[in-house]
Amino acid sequence: GNAEELIRLIDLLPGHVAAEALAPVLAALLKHEAARVRSKAALVFMRLPAAGRMDSNPLRDSDGRVRANALEALWGQRDPETVQAFFDAMEDEHSRVVGNALRGLYEAGIP
C-alpha cells in the first residue's frame, strides 16, 4: 500500500538527496497518519545534521515506535541536548523508548 511505498522511498532517499532537501520531506512524513511511516521517517530525520532538522521533533510523537526510532538515530551522540533527550525519555511509558534511552546514555559514556 501507500505506507509501504513511502517506507521504501525513505530507505532510498538518504543516499541520493542532500540533507537540506531531505529534511522538509521527512518533516512532512513525520505527520503521516501511519505510525510505521512516521517511525521510519523519524529514524532518518534524526540522523540529519541538527541544523537541518527545522522545528519538527519526533521525540514528541504519540506513537512509542516513532519516539524509539528517533532516539536510536541519536545513539553515539554526546552533546548536552541529546543527553538530556535520553534522560527525558527514561520517563516514557513505552519500554522500547526507555531501552533506547538507556543505550543512548551508555554509548554517551553516562553511567
Side-chain angles (χ1 to χ4, degrees):
N2 185 30
E4 292 305 317
E5 291 170 5
L6 285 171
I7 289 169
R8 281 197 299 277
L9 180 65
I10 294 167
D11 281 335
L12 294 173
L13 287 176
H16 304 284
V17 178
E20 319 69 74
L22 190 54
V25 173
L26 292 171
L29 290 173
L30 289 170
K31 297 175 181 146
H32 194 275
E33 64 185 35
R36 291 189 64 224
V37 171
R38 293 194 317 272
S39 180
K40 187 63 156 183
L43 186 62
V44 177
F45 183 78
M46 294 301 282
R47 288 182 176 152
L48 295 175
R53 283 195 236 133
M54 307 170 335
D55 293 328
S56 298
N57 189 349
L59 293 171
R60 294 190 198 117
D61 195 274
S62 62
D63 190 277
R65 293 170 296 185
V66 176
R67 296 189 307 275
N69 273 6
L71 287 171
E72 180 179 334
L74 298 174
W75 289 347
Q77 296 185 33
R78 295 176 170 84
D79 61 279
E81 184 178 307
T82 300
V83 169
Q84 186 61 52
F86 292 141
F87 276 118
D88 292 347
M90 296 294 293
E91 304 296 322
D92 200 281
E93 74 266 358
H94 196 281
S95 61
R96 188 170 157 226
V97 173
V98 174
N100 283 358
L102 283 169
R103 180 164 173 185
L105 289 169
Y106 172 79
E107 289 191 13
I110 311 274

